[in-house]
């Protein structure tokens, strides 16, 4: 075995290890067969990782050697990721679900460890969306003065429609853009005067005035004390427009 | 969760078919039709038992060669809220149903 005594990153691999590593990455059989390790292979492993992959390692203390570790393998992407997953399994971490894992030690149970993670092809791993913890406001409903004022908003809708559409003519090409613009404008207007913790939905229907009939209906499942809606209708000789704003309180 | 709304298109379609399936547009009945479409839809959605507030809108329009545009703009939380719109038609009328789901 000419390679076994070289001082490069390669070190001799116990045949049992090789077999286990090749089977699956997450087997725990390793724990029953282990060679006694000195600090050198582990430090070398750390060195190799730092230099080759550029991943931040948290500092490892002597207590890492409580559980048996595989000796460092030749650094290749796939093998490395499998071995790292084994390391984490040995640590009984909560990251069992993940295939390619971070190289952190001893995450406290039940907490996400936010460290920079790179998969070994160099692409970032999708992190779960971080929970944003806001302070508790202890409010169960909007303040009395801060409800969705349907009358006031209806007036605003009406005046905006009149102003925006005054003499507009309906055209199929421009109609789509017109309705989108109107919808966004109404929403941002109401947003400016609207109260915090209210979600807004603005719904606009623009149609051509011809010899036909149309009905717009809506029904809502919400809390009637906090949520409300406002409607405005506009019509001229060539087009009509219906604008509805729904305001929903976000608990 | 937005993925919950992917099933709502089916729900809306079924409600519309049940209410106005093979009918011809009649001005006197359209009020009742739109109410029943919307109520059916809302009933089906509540049966799903998800923690959402719902807004269901229905537009029924007679087919007459005229054009119609609808647009919606929403101020909400993109990760938890969503909407879906279903267009349905038969020989005499169009029906557009929009469902908005806002997470509690």
């Amino acid at each position: 075995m000419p390679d076994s005594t070289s001082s490069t990153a390669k070190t001799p691999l116990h045949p049992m290890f090789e077999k286990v590593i090749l089977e699956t990455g997450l087997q725990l059989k390793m724990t029953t067969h282990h060679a006694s390790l000195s600090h050198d292979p582990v430090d070398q492993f750390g060195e190799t990782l730092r230099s080759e992959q550029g991943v931040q390692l948290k500092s490892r203390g002597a207590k890492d050697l409580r559980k048996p570790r595989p000796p460092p393998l030749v650094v290749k992407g796939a093998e490395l990721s499998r071995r790292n997953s084994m390391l984490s399994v040995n640590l009984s971490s909560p990251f069992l679900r993940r295939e390619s894992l971070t190289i952190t030690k001893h995450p406290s149970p039940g907490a996400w460890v936010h460290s920079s993670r790179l998969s070994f092809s160099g692409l970032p791993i999708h992190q779960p969306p971080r929970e944003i913890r806001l302070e508790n406001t202890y409010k169960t409903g909007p303040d009395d003065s801060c409800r969705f004022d349907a009358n006031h908003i209806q007036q605003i809708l009406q005046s905006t429609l009149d102003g925006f559409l005054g003499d507009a003519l309906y055209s199929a090409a421009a109609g789509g853009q017109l309705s989108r613009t109107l919808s966004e404008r109404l929403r941002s207007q109401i947003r400016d005067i609207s109260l915090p913790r209210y979600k807004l939905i603005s719904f606009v229907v623009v149609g051509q005035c011809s010899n036909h009939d149309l009905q717009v209906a809506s029904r809502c499942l919400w809390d009637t004390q906090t949520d409300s809606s406002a409607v405005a209708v506009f019509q001229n000789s060539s087009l009509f427009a219906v604008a509805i704003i729904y305001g929903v309180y976000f608990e | 969760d937005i993925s919950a709304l992917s099933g709502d298109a089916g729900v809306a379609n079924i409600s519309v078919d049940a209410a106005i399936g093979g009918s011809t547009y009649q001005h006197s009945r359209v009020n009742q039709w739109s109410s029943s479409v919307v109520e059916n839809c809302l009933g089906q959605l509540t049966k799903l038992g998800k923690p959402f507030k719902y807004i269901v809108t229905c537009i029924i329009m007679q087919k007459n060669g005229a054009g119609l545009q609808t647009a919606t703009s929403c101020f909400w939380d993109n990760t938890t809220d969503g909407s879906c719109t279903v267009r349905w038609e038969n020989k005499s009328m169009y029906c557009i149903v929009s469902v908005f789901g806002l997470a509690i």
Side-chain angles (χ1 to χ4, degrees):
Chain A
M1 303 214 305
D3 285 342
S4 60
T5 53
S6 70
S7 57
T8 62
K10 293 188 184 182
T11 54
L13 196 55
H14 193 287
M16 279 310 300
F17 280 131
E18 208 162 357
K19 183 178 160 209
V20 168
I21 288 165
L22 288 173
E23 280 171 12
T24 55
L26 295 176
Q27 297 263 352
L28 289 176
K29 285 180 193 162
M30 310 229 347
T31 54
T32 57
H33 309 283
H34 66 275
S36 55
L37 295 172
S38 63
H39 282 268
D40 283 343
V42 179
D43 290 341
Q44 216 169 19
F45 165 56
E47 274 297 324
T48 318
L49 281 179
R50 271 190 288 273
S51 61
E52 300 239 357
Q53 299 293 337
V55 176
Q56 292 292 330
L57 271 186
K58 296 210 176 153
S59 62
R60 292 173 177 269
K63 53 186 171 168
D64 290 345
L65 296 179
R66 263 190 332 214
K67 305 230 173 157
R69 297 282 161 101
L73 299 172
V74 173
V75 176
K76 286 182 190 169
E79 286 170 306
L80 201 56
S81 70
R82 252 183 280 141
R83 182 156 50 103
N84 284 326
S85 62
M86 279 199 297
L87 285 176
S88 293
V89 167
N90 282 340
L91 294 172
S92 310
S93 80
F95 296 110
L96 287 175
R97 295 176 270 155
R98 292 193 168 265
E99 294 300 315
S100 46
L101 298 173
T102 56
I103 309 162
T104 59
K105 71 170 175 75
H106 302 308
S108 56
W112 284 108
V113 178
H114 297 292
S115 56
S116 68
R117 302 180 185 197
L118 282 182
S119 75
F120 298 101
S121 57
L123 298 170
I125 301 175
H126 278 294
Q127 309 239 11
R130 292 192 187 194
E131 279 183 31
I132 301 171
R133 305 250 170 109
L134 296 170
E135 276 192 11
N136 211 334
T137 59
Y138 299 102
K139 273 190 180 181
T140 54
D143 299 331
D144 279 334
S145 58
C146 293
R147 295 192 184 241
F148 188 84
D149 187 359
N151 282 332
H152 181 43
I153 288 178
Q154 198 267 334
Q155 285 164 9
I156 295 177
L157 289 182
Q158 192 68 60
S159 57
T160 310
L161 279 182
D162 293 338
F164 196 79
L165 292 176
D167 272 337
L169 293 171
Y170 182 87
S171 76
Q177 192 56 48
L178 181 68
S179 59
R180 267 196 297 275
T181 316
L182 201 51
S183 177
E184 270 160 39
R185 175 180 278 207
L186 286 172
R187 184 191 32 102
S188 51
Q189 266 196 331
I190 304 298
R191 175 79 189 98
D192 291 336
I193 58 144
S194 184
L195 310 153
R197 302 187 73 99
Y198 266 92
K199 291 181 180 176
L200 298 172
I201 295 173
S202 124
F203 188 85
V204 169
V205 181
V206 171
Q208 193 177 13
C209 256
S210 103
N211 205 7
H212 69 280
D213 206 10
L214 173 109
Q215 175 96 0
V216 179
S218 74
R219 191 146 310 202
C220 313
L221 179 74
W222 58 24
D223 183 347
T224 45
Q225 290 183 335
T226 57
D227 309 327
S228 182
S229 65
V231 183
V233 178
F234 169 85
Q235 186 172 8
N236 70 12
S237 53
S238 79
L239 62 73
F240 68 89
V242 178
I244 312 176
I245 283 260
Y246 304 97
V248 178
Y249 181 73
F250 178 59
E251 294 172 29
Chain B
D1 190 5
I2 302 183
S3 63
L5 285 174
S6 56
D8 292 356
V11 168
N13 256 322
I14 293 167
S15 313
V16 176
D17 277 332
I20 57 178
S23 321
T24 319
Y25 188 91
Q26 282 170 274
H27 177 73
S28 53
R29 300 192 64 191
V30 72
N31 231 333
Q32 176 203 342
W33 283 337
S34 55
S35 301
S36 67
V37 164
V38 163
E39 270 170 26
N40 276 344
C41 209
L42 207 49
Q44 299 279 338
L45 289 170
T46 47
K47 277 187 201 164
L48 298 175
K50 305 206 189 226
F52 281 97
K53 290 181 177 175
Y54 290 109
I55 296 171
V56 179
T57 309
C58 163
I59 301 173
I60 300 182
M61 184 169 95
Q62 195 180 13
K63 272 194 184 182
N64 208 12
L68 183 82
Q69 307 279 353
T70 68
T72 69
S73 170
C74 307
F75 177 70
W76 60 23
D77 183 346
N78 264 331
T79 54
T80 58
D81 308 327
S83 69
C84 92
T85 307
V86 169
R87 281 162 292 279
W88 181 97
E89 64 178 285
N90 72 7
K91 279 191 189 163
S92 61
M93 55 186 166
Y94 297 106
C95 180
I96 303 172
V97 178
S98 296
V99 178
F100 302 91
L102 300 157
I104 297 176

